[in-house]
Amino acid sequence: MINYYHYSSNKIQQLHNNYTQRLKWKPTGFWLSKNNEWYDWCINNGCSTFNTNNYFKHKIKFKDDIRLYICDSLDSFYSLVKNYNNDWIDLSEEYDGIVFDNYNEIKKKLILNPECPFIWFFGIDVNCCVVWNTNKIYITYIKHFIKY
């Protein structure tokens, strides 16, 4: 079963819908990990985003009417780049967020091209989702972890 989580040092009581897209490498938004991939990546690679000994894990669900661009193959990645060319502003007018799935498979194929102009993609790190229209998601539960 696929679940999406948001990890943070602070408990999130209410989602804020104030993400404005800009012309920059990665889209701006509320980032979600597919299952525990972000936490595992942080444990294995070091992570300064949050304290892995004292953190909150927020389980996120999508509302039925959310519009997500699904980037789950090299073809869908190239379509994203061709149609929007990192213009997250245009993309945000059509979609509420993006799902990046099969990240490692796509990354391996992009690495084969030494002149790959899509270096921003490597900063995603794991299978995940970014949502800029947080009116389309909700928190189903929050768990606080403290390791001594």
Side-chain angles (χ1 to χ4, degrees), residues 7-10 38-39 42 47-56:
Y7 295 90
S8 68
S9 299
N10 301 311
W38 175 246
Y39 178 81
C42 286
C47 184
S48 61
T49 306
F50 72 98
N51 179 349
T52 55
N53 292 317
N54 184 2
Y55 65 93
F56 290 90

Side-chain angles (χ1 to χ4, degrees), residues 54-75:
N54 184 2
Y55 65 93
F56 290 90
K57 180 179 179 181
H58 307 79
K59 186 174 183 181
I60 307 296
K61 291 286 188 181
F62 301 133
K63 293 185 178 176
D64 290 340
D65 62 342
I66 192 169
R67 297 167 302 149
L68 295 169
Y69 185 96
I70 307 297
C71 183
D72 61 355
S73 67
L74 194 60
D75 287 342

